[in-house]
Amino acid sequence: MPTQDPIAASLARARYLIVDGALATELQTRGHDLSGDLWSARLLRDDPAAIRDVHAAYFSAGADIAITASYQATVEGFQRLGLDAASAEALIQRSVTLAQEARDAHWATRKSDDIPYPLVAASVGPYGAYLADGSEYRGYYGIDRAALADFHRPRLATLLAARPDLLAIETLPSLDEALALADLVAERPGTQAWITFSARDAQHISDGTPIAECARALRDRPGICAIGINCTALEHIESLIGEIRAECTLPIIVYPNSGEHYDGVTKRWHAGCASDAAPVDLAAGSG
């Protein structure tokens, strides 16, 4: 992992950065069934070329950052499909290499001194994404920070072994989980990560913690290079950005959604948060 902050380096060359769009939504548009617990991560095994093709399409459309198909990818999740641990780890790392391959092919034809080199951000979803029961949008898991760290630590190590430019720690519903993950980032000097929260309204993340409190808690953490919001209704975004900016000078990253609600029983989205498996309407860089 590079020790330089890749977001700061890119923003030194551009006023803002554009994050790619929703991976799973595009895969669904292309005819893939993502109704299982692993969502798009299942295609890391079944159709990796489809994931690489979507990354390539987003780079061609102007994305500066690709988020990998690892949001829902865990060793435990793949083991439920009958894979052994080594095979599961290889698939998690494949999520990074697929995005890198798409990025490198794109850059070979579009390389320019006028634009920053595109980045690959390895997605790290919350503990609730592994549970696949919708609790990632509530944050009440019934386990403590140490247990959350124990869950996330092996996956971070696996992803970092594939050398992404940074980690995209996203859709976190609670400050406690964010602090557990920030501690893990600090355990590995040189690791860079952004942390984004899902929010319930214009001032609070999903578990009710004020977003301003989250910004204060994370702004000086080693390796945290941006803070922001995803999986949140568009009408709350401006206020949430203001709350973060009042407490933090780090770049702000934002990618809201279509406003749908995930039903953990039916595994379907209904009108009304969305993550990897639902539309993301906007992806914008620093505030």
Side-chain angles (χ1 to χ4, degrees):
M1 287 291 296
T3 57
Q4 184 183 29
D5 175 349
I7 298 294
S10 294
L11 288 173
R13 304 185 63 187
R15 291 182 58 245
Y16 58 86
L17 304 175
I18 299 174
V19 185
D20 62 3
L23 175 65
T25 299
E26 182 62 21
L27 288 168
Q28 289 174 320
T29 299
R30 296 178 181 213
H32 295 280
D33 178 9
L34 306 180
S35 57
D37 287 352
L38 284 173
W39 297 348
S40 58
R42 180 181 56 79
L43 296 187
L44 293 169
R45 181 194 67 175
D46 296 348
D47 195 351
I51 292 174
R52 184 174 55 241
D53 289 348
V54 172
H55 287 314
Y58 280 131
F59 280 127
S60 295
D64 298 301
I65 306 173
I67 302 176
T68 66
S70 50
Y71 177 87
Q72 194 78 3
T74 63
V75 169
E76 297 88 343
F78 283 121
Q79 285 178 325
R80 290 199 294 256
L81 293 183
L83 279 69
D84 60 30
S87 297
E89 290 171 356
L91 290 178
I92 293 170
Q93 292 181 342
R94 178 181 285 176
S95 71
V96 177
T97 58
L98 290 170
Q100 291 168 332
E101 290 167 4
R103 183 264 312 277
D104 294 345
H106 168 74
W107 193 242
T109 62
R110 297 291 298 274
K111 183 176 180 179
S112 170
D113 293 335
D114 297 327
I115 58 175
Y117 181 59
L119 302 175
V120 170
S123 175
V124 178
Y127 177 70
Y130 155 68
L131 298 177
D133 62 357
S135 61
E136 68 200 273
Y137 309 122
R138 301 185 298 272
Y140 307 123
Y141 303 141
I143 60 175
D144 61 17
R145 190 182 301 178
L148 287 168
D150 288 343
F151 170 78
H152 285 293
R153 185 178 286 107
R155 180 166 56 148
L156 263 62
T158 299
L159 286 167
L160 291 171
R163 301 187 65 80
D165 297 296
L166 72 161
L167 300 174
I169 300 172
E170 54 183 349
T171 326
L172 297 190
S174 74
L175 177 56
D176 211 37
E177 187 166 20
L179 292 173
L181 281 154
D183 288 344
L184 294 179
V185 170
E187 284 180 5
R188 303 179 68 95
T191 299
Q192 299 289 325
W194 79 52
I195 292 181
T196 58
F197 295 92
S198 61
R200 63 164 60 172
D201 57 35
Q203 293 183 312
H204 303 87
I205 66 171
S206 292
D207 74 347
T209 304
I211 188 67
E213 181 180 339
C214 298
R216 286 194 299 272
L218 294 170
R219 63 191 178 191
D220 297 320
R221 290 292 185 122
I224 304 304
C225 59
I227 299 173
I229 301 294
N230 75 303
C231 189
T232 296
L234 184 59
E235 61 264 28
H236 302 321
I237 296 300
E238 183 176 1
S239 172
L240 291 162
I241 290 174
E243 294 286 320
I244 295 170
R245 180 53 72 229
E247 301 291 341
C248 175
T249 59
L250 287 174
I252 296 174
I253 183 162
V254 179
Y255 41 119
N257 63 45
S258 66
E260 294 177 313
H261 170 73
Y262 183 69
D263 186 326
V265 176
T266 65
K267 312 296 185 187
R268 293 181 180 275
W269 296 94
H270 303 289
C273 184
S275 65
D276 170 68
V280 175
D281 297 326
L282 175 67
S286 71

